[in-house]
Amino acid sequence: MTPSVRLQEMIRVIRSARTQGEERGIIQKECADIRAQFRQGDNGERSHSLAKLLYVHMLGYPAHFGQMECVRLIASPRYSEKRIGYLGAMMLLDEKQDASLLITNSIKNDLSHSSQYVQSLALCTLACMGSAEMCRDLAPEIERLLRASNCYIKKKATLCAVHIIRKVPELAELFTPSARSLLSEKNHGVLHGAVVLITELCEHNPDTLDQFRKAVPELVQIMKGLVTSSYSPEHNVAGISDPFLQVRILRLLRILGHNNDTASDAMNDLLAQVATNTDSSKTAGSAVLYETVLTIMDINSESGLRVLAVNILGRFLLNNDRNIRYISMTSLQKIVQTDHNAVQRHRGTIVDCLKDQDTSVKRHTNGRVITVINSALFLLQSCIGTVTCPCAGGDVRDETVPNLIQLITTASELHCYTVHKLYRALVKEISQQPLVQVACWCIGEYGDLLLKGECEEIEPVQVTEDDVLDALETVLQSHMSSPATRGFALTATMKLSTRITDNVDRIRSIVSIYGSCIDLELQQRAVEYNALFKKYDHMRAAVLERMPVMGKNSPGHTNGDTSGENKEPDPSKPKPVEAGLLSEPASQVCDLLDLLGGTDTPLQPNPAPTSTPTTTSSTDLLDLLGGLDVQLQMKAPSGNVIPAHGLGQVTQTVVLNNPNKASLPCLFLCSCLSH
């Protein structure tokens, strides 16, 4: 390859390389030729050699040796060489390079050049790689060009001023007077730059907000002109007149109208006009509508206008473009906290997004469904009663309690809020058993969050350990509590033993009381918990740690029904084992399971059930049903001693749930009577 090879030929040869090594060889040889050209001085090939070096730089190869050549070409009087020199400076130089300071004087001279194209090169370079020192030196020149009569230069100068403000915020005051006057320009490029400049000034210096809020009527008129203007080939994009300028104006209006009633009132009519007259069938129209929605929601807008904005987002959810559906879901998440009822109208559409094939949309929707659709979790204060215990009181379906618990576990950001609200509901009333069960479960799992008293969503209330234990003891001792509810309360009390510090002895005393309870289920739990306190105290923290997120099909409680259809475990799946149990000797495990005590005999497998029914166990009664879909609940007996010689009786209530109205065997009925 000869040194005189043209750029196009060099590109062709590099692209024809068959291996990475062959490409590196070509690049190395060409870079050596470029270095030789740079050393020869001004021979007419310097700009051409730098152009080839810039292509090498674009391919990712070192090109730092061309930095000084950029400085030389920028100082050249020829426009063709200046153009390549400035392009090289933007690509090879930054504020960390010492060579960048060498072009400051050249840029200053070119800003006063008679040619607008040379001025443009200097402005673009300063806006791209100007350091803080360069910005301080050249800021007066930029402010002068903002008042130039040439729209081409004025547009470049506004963007350069934005870069200076970002680099040196204290220079913002220098451009404030000129920025307001730029709004009177008719050129769309200048208007676009002016809006960007004013936005930057307002974001970096809030003190200028009051000054630029006076320009809201001008911005509204500009926006109305864009919305109602006739077709303009120069600015039309998919039927929308200059959507880029419209988006920029809407963003600036959002900043100016935030927490300001006067500015918000001045733009309410405009926003309604844009929201109703913009075609959303094209991407350009959707972009304008999206910015309109964000502006409506961020200013002090009217309620009807906010409903209109939510409806626009609802239409976005039906769009075929997955990107539009994604950003719509993000916006709805922000709106639901202030306009919950308006969002509820679109809950069906939101749920349909869960079926989207795009995993990002599905995942984003899944994180929003609880807060957007299920008001039980987002507005727990107002509707916790309707979710867990509706007008029918405690007569809710068996799966209500585990389903609500499953929803709560999946919303980690609402755990603190939920436990606070449920604790207050528990202290206020304990007659609604499903609500009490969920409250006890949450207190047991998230009691540490309750005791911290730090919850942003509600007024902070300090709850002590004694307060929480008093509430759980009230549930345990109340005549209104069902055996299942007492089980929830006892388990919650036990779990608090690993979440509190000062009342562990009180918890141990509460648990020990129920070790002799007449209710066998409660007694069994108490005996197991006592064993954790005594023999297996070193395992207590691991056994009682916080429950993981429950799956939708996880087995749950049945609202107190301890019987029902017993499914055999799947032999293909391993049985869950507590982490701490694997390290214990087998005899200790057997002792833990030996709840009745009094024997040192290792546990033996249960014998196979016989076909002869007995009357000693309520579970044997279920064997008589022959696989029928029937649930049986044995209430507590009226006494634990049967008087001799038939002088008295002990009664026990049997609750039979037969949803399918199946006919029951006579043998079963007789067995129930014999019990």
Side-chain angles (χ1 to χ4, degrees):
M1 183 180 292
T2 61
S4 60
V5 67
R6 310 305 299 173
L7 175 62
Q8 293 83 350
E9 179 64 17
M10 186 190 75
I11 295 175
R12 187 190 65 79
V13 174
I14 292 176
R15 287 182 175 178
S16 64
R18 291 170 293 182
T19 63
Q20 186 75 25
E22 184 179 353
E23 178 183 294
R24 284 195 298 267
I26 297 173
I27 295 295
Q28 291 174 0
K29 185 177 185 303
E30 185 60 31
C31 286
D33 295 336
I34 292 174
R35 285 190 178 93
Q37 291 288 337
F38 287 164
R39 287 193 295 268
Q40 291 178 7
D42 189 4
N43 57 1
E45 292 289 333
R46 293 164 57 190
S47 61
H48 176 68
S49 299
L50 182 59
K52 293 194 291 184
L53 183 62
L54 294 180
Y55 179 75
V56 171
H57 172 72
M58 292 170 60
L59 295 178
Y61 292 92
H64 57 279
F65 59 88
Q67 293 175 355
M68 292 306 301
E69 195 63 25
C70 296
V71 176
R72 296 189 186 96
L73 291 178
I74 288 174
S76 172
R78 302 175 184 175
Y79 176 76
S80 59
E81 294 184 348
K82 276 184 177 292
R83 183 178 61 179
I84 298 297
Y86 275 122
L87 178 61
M90 287 186 279
M91 294 180 63
L92 303 180
L93 298 179
D94 56 43
E95 59 183 55
K96 298 179 182 179
Q97 306 292 336
D98 295 336
S100 62
L101 298 176
L102 301 177
I103 65 174
T104 302
N105 192 56
S106 297
I107 292 178
K108 184 175 182 179
N109 293 334
D110 289 340
L111 289 176
S112 302
H113 201 276
S114 58
S115 171
Q116 65 175 355
Y117 302 108
V118 175
Q119 288 180 306
S120 175
L121 291 175
L123 288 170
C124 290
T125 304
L126 179 61
C128 178
M129 48 77 62
S131 62
E133 292 77 7
M134 295 173 64
C135 291
R136 289 189 181 94
D137 294 338
L138 301 176
E141 297 294 325
I142 304 303
E143 195 278 333
R144 175 181 61 83
L145 293 177
L146 285 176
R147 294 178 277 106
S149 58
N150 190 329
C151 292
Y152 179 76
I153 297 300
K154 197 178 297 186
K155 174 181 65 176
K156 303 282 186 180
T158 56
L159 299 179
C160 190
V162 171
H163 175 78
I164 293 176
I165 294 173
R166 292 173 179 172
K167 281 292 181 182
V168 192
E170 58 267 23
L171 294 177
E173 296 181 359
L174 179 65
F175 304 103
T176 301
S178 302
R180 173 69 186 275
S181 62
L182 292 174
L183 293 177
S184 60
E185 294 287 336
K186 301 299 181 182
N187 183 275
H188 282 218
V190 177
L191 281 176
H192 191 280
V195 173
V196 174
L197 177 58
I198 295 175
T199 302
E200 200 70 28
L201 289 169
C202 293
E203 290 179 344
H204 280 81
N205 188 8
D207 296 336
T208 61
L209 283 174
D210 291 335
Q211 179 177 349
F212 286 111
R213 280 186 177 124
K214 300 176 183 178
V216 169
E218 297 179 57
L219 293 169
V220 169
Q221 290 301 319
I222 296 172
M223 190 68 185
K224 283 185 177 180
L226 294 172
V227 174
T228 60
S229 63
S230 57
Y231 176 78
S232 174
E234 184 179 358
H235 306 115
N236 188 278
V237 178
I240 306 297
S241 178
D242 204 341
F244 303 100
L245 180 56
Q246 289 193 42
V247 167
R248 286 292 184 179
I249 293 176
L250 288 169
R251 290 180 182 175
L252 178 56
L253 290 176
R254 182 160 70 246
I255 296 174
L256 298 177
H258 183 67
N259 292 333
N260 188 274
D261 292 333
T262 304
S264 298
D265 292 341
M267 63 183 75
N268 271 332
D269 292 341
L270 168 68
L271 295 174
Q273 184 179 5
V274 175
T276 54
N277 294 338
T278 303
D279 181 15
S280 62
S281 60
K282 302 293 184 180
T283 303
S286 297
V288 174
L289 283 176
Y290 177 68
E291 290 296 334
T292 304
V293 169
L294 295 183
T295 303
I296 291 173
M297 292 303 172
D298 209 35
I299 68 172
N300 300 340
S301 55
E302 301 171 351
S303 58
L305 197 57
R306 301 178 76 86
V307 173
L308 178 60
V310 175
N311 292 339
I312 292 174
L313 293 179
R315 293 202 305 269
F316 280 172
L317 292 177
L318 301 174
N319 198 292
N320 294 328
D321 192 323
R322 292 170 180 170
N323 293 326
I324 295 178
R325 294 202 299 274
Y326 185 89
I327 63 173
S328 176
M329 193 65 63
T330 304
S331 303
L332 284 173
Q333 169 63 15
K334 301 176 183 178
I335 296 171
V336 69
Q337 302 181 14
T338 56
D339 294 86
H340 182 74
N341 293 331
V343 177
Q344 281 283 358
R345 300 188 185 100
H346 304 279
R347 59 180 178 268
T349 306
I350 297 174
V351 172
D352 288 340
C353 289
L354 288 172
K355 305 174 185 177
D356 198 289
Q357 296 180 355
D358 189 288
T359 56
S360 61
V361 175
K362 188 183 301 184
R363 183 172 60 251
H364 206 54
T365 305
N366 188 46
R368 303 294 179 259
V369 166
I370 293 178
T371 54
V372 176
I373 303 301
N374 198 312
S375 57
L377 294 180
F378 193 83
L379 295 178
L380 198 56
Q381 179 179 9
S382 61
C383 57
I384 183 64
T386 62
V387 174
T388 59
C389 43
C391 298
D395 296 332
V396 295
R397 300 182 62 180
D398 290 346
E399 63 268 18
T400 301
V401 171
N403 283 351
L404 182 56
I405 289 176
Q406 188 270 335
L407 287 173
I408 293 174
T409 60
T410 58
S412 58
E413 70 277 5
L414 295 174
H415 287 169
C416 183
Y417 176 82
T418 304
V419 71
H420 276 81
K421 301 307 294 184
L422 285 172
Y423 170 76
R424 295 183 183 184
L426 179 65
V427 173
K428 184 177 180 181
E429 182 183 8
I430 62 172
S431 61
Q432 302 292 351
Q433 294 296 284
L435 175 61
V436 175
Q437 293 174 12
V438 177
C440 291
W441 188 92
C442 287
I443 291 173
E445 292 297 319
Y446 315 121
D448 52 336
L449 302 178
L450 177 63
L451 295 173
K452 287 181 180 179
E454 300 174 358
C455 188
E456 299 179 356
E457 293 82 359
I458 61 175
E459 181 181 354
V461 176
Q462 187 61 43
V463 180
T464 65
E465 296 179 1
D466 287 324
D467 294 335
V468 178
L469 293 177
D470 288 343
L472 293 176
E473 273 201 284
T474 301
V475 175
L476 285 168
Q477 299 170 3
S478 174
H479 68 281
M480 293 184 292
S481 298
S482 66
T485 303
R486 288 191 176 94
F488 273 92
L490 186 64
T491 301
T493 304
M494 186 64 185
K495 283 215 165 189
L496 285 177
S497 67
T498 62
R499 292 155 174 76
I500 65 176
T501 56
D502 300 331
N503 286 273
V504 178
D505 291 337
R506 180 181 175 184
I507 294 176
R508 185 184 292 109
S509 176
I510 295 173
V511 171
S512 63
I513 292 174
Y514 291 90
S516 57
C517 179
I518 191 173
D519 182 85
L520 294 181
E521 174 68 21
L522 205 59
Q523 181 189 97
Q524 177 179 340
R525 294 191 187 191
V527 171
E528 292 171 348
Y529 295 157
N530 276 320
L532 280 178
F533 269 126
K534 297 176 182 177
K535 201 170 185 179
Y536 302 95
D537 192 63
H538 62 285
M539 296 168 49
R540 180 161 52 89
V543 173
L544 301 176
E545 65 182 3
R546 185 169 294 177
M547 292 287 290
V549 177
M550 297 182 184
K552 190 64 178 175
N553 296 325
S554 297
H557 298 282
T558 57
N559 205 18
D561 295 338
T562 58
S563 59
E565 182 181 359
N566 295 325
K567 298 182 179 180
E568 292 295 329
D570 187 353
S572 64
K573 297 181 180 179
K575 296 181 179 180
V577 180
E578 294 290 349
L581 293 179
L582 294 176
S583 61
E584 294 297 316
S587 61
Q588 294 185 4
V589 178
C590 293
D591 291 340
L592 176 62
L593 298 177
D594 183 16
L595 303 179
L596 300 180
T599 178
D600 295 329
T601 305
L603 294 180
Q604 300 296 332
N606 291 329
T610 62
S611 59
T612 304
T614 62
T615 60
T616 59
S617 173
S618 61
T619 56
D620 292 334
L621 297 178
L622 299 180
D623 295 336
L624 302 175
L625 303 182
L628 297 177
D629 188 12
V630 178
Q631 293 182 349
L632 181 68
Q633 181 180 6
M634 305 293 292
K635 297 295 186 179
S638 59
N640 56 1
V641 178
I642 301 178
H645 307 294
L647 297 179
Q649 63 180 0
V650 176
T651 62
Q652 185 176 17
T653 304
V654 179
V655 179
L656 181 65
N657 182 14
N658 187 11
N660 294 333
K661 308 299 181 182
S663 60
L664 301 177
C666 294
L667 181 60
F668 165 73
L669 297 176
C670 295
S671 179
C672 288
L673 293 176
S674 66
H675 272 65

